[in-house]
Structures are given as structure tokens and as C-alpha cells.
Amino acid sequence: MGKNVTAVVEELVTPILAGLSIELVDIEYVKEGSNWFLRVYIDKEGGVDIEDCGAVSEKLSKRLDEVDPIPDAYFLEVSSPGIERPLKKEKDFHWSIGKRVQVKTQEPIEDTKIFEGTLTVFDNGMLTIEEDEKSYQIPYDKVESARLAFVF
């Protein structure tokens, strides 16, 4: 197969989501034990519900059957990213301004690699996170992973 599974699935699911005013958050194709799982995480303003997930799953399943891009048997799961939504793309960071986030960097910045606080600015490739009266500047290209942080 020329393209990897997640790239092919992204091409197939994007028009389905656009028609439903739902955004793609992430796609995973992973093996757990002896089973393969294709997980598609979706979201929209106000959150997705079980009907949204069901509609996307049904339409995507039909497209996957038509195109048949995956040689292995797999389970398709369509769901919300949850309250600790991963932040993967620049648009995710813009959307998260004003929200509490956790960011892990590839290398230490000011002697730490994990930052949790409010994302106050994302501009010119720099994130500004306010944490306990302190402000951190983190280059976007140094971010290893990021997610929304839920406070209990």
C-alpha cells in the first residue's frame, strides 16, 4: 500500500465529517494483543454524541468497504477525544487559548519538560503558558505532545 493507513483514512473521512460539520481530531491504527484497531476521534462545537459517532462510523465503514485500503482485519471505533483532548495541529492550539493544557517538550526548557497551565497566547510559532504566576515561552516545534488538562 502506497500511503499509510491513517493518511488513507483521513482522505476518506474528511468529506464525511465536512458534510456533518464535525472536525477530525486524530486517527490511530494500532495493534493491541492480536487485534488491530482503527480509531477515529471526532469533535464539534458543544461536543459530539453517540448519534454523531454512529453516523460517522456507518458512513466511514461503507467507504472503507468500497476502497478496502487495510489488508488486516480490524475493529473500527469512532469516538470523542474525551475531556483531555490531545492537541496535535496548530489549529488545536489556537482553539485552546484560554484553556488549561499540559505540554511535554522534546528537551528541557527552564529545566523542565512538562508544563501545565493556561495557554494564553499562540503566535508566531510560540506558545505562552501561564503557570502559578509564571509565564513560559515554548516553541511549537519543540512540543513532543500536548493535551487539554482537566482539573478535578
Side-chain angles (χ1 to χ4, degrees), residues 108-135:
I109 297 173
E110 296 186 39
D111 297 324
T112 189
K113 291 175 71 173
I114 298 175
F115 302 87
E116 187 168 319
T118 302
L119 178 63
T120 57
V121 178
F122 179 54
D123 192 33
N124 293 324
M126 291 294 284
L127 292 87
T128 303
I129 295 180
E130 303 285 338
E131 178 183 351
D132 298 327
E133 311 283 323
K134 188 156 173 44
S135 180

Side-chain angles (χ1 to χ4, degrees), residues 11-69:
E11 285 179 12
L12 296 175
V13 78
T14 298
I16 294 168
L17 297 177
L20 299 170
S21 299
I22 295 174
E23 72 167 303
L24 177 64
V25 175
D26 198 12
I27 298 173
E28 295 177 334
Y29 185 61
V30 294
K31 189 169 189 177
E32 294 179 2
S34 61
N35 296 315
W36 283 93
F37 290 87
L38 175 61
R39 294 189 176 112
V40 178
Y41 298 98
I42 59 174
D43 208 357
K44 69 178 182 184
E45 193 68 40
V48 292
D49 58 26
I50 192 123
E51 287 81 20
D52 294 321
C53 294
V56 171
S57 180
E58 183 180 327
K59 291 176 188 216
L60 178 57
S61 184
K62 285 180 185 173
R63 286 295 292 139
L64 288 166
D65 288 345
E66 291 167 9
V67 177
D68 199 22

Side-chain angles (χ1 to χ4, degrees), residues 93-112:
F93 287 92
H94 287 292
W95 175 86
S96 299
I97 292 172
K99 295 181 170 69
R100 188 162 184 82
V101 299
Q102 183 183 79
V103 174
K104 293 180 184 174
T105 56
Q106 298 163 357
E107 55 199 44
I109 297 173
E110 296 186 39
D111 297 324
T112 189

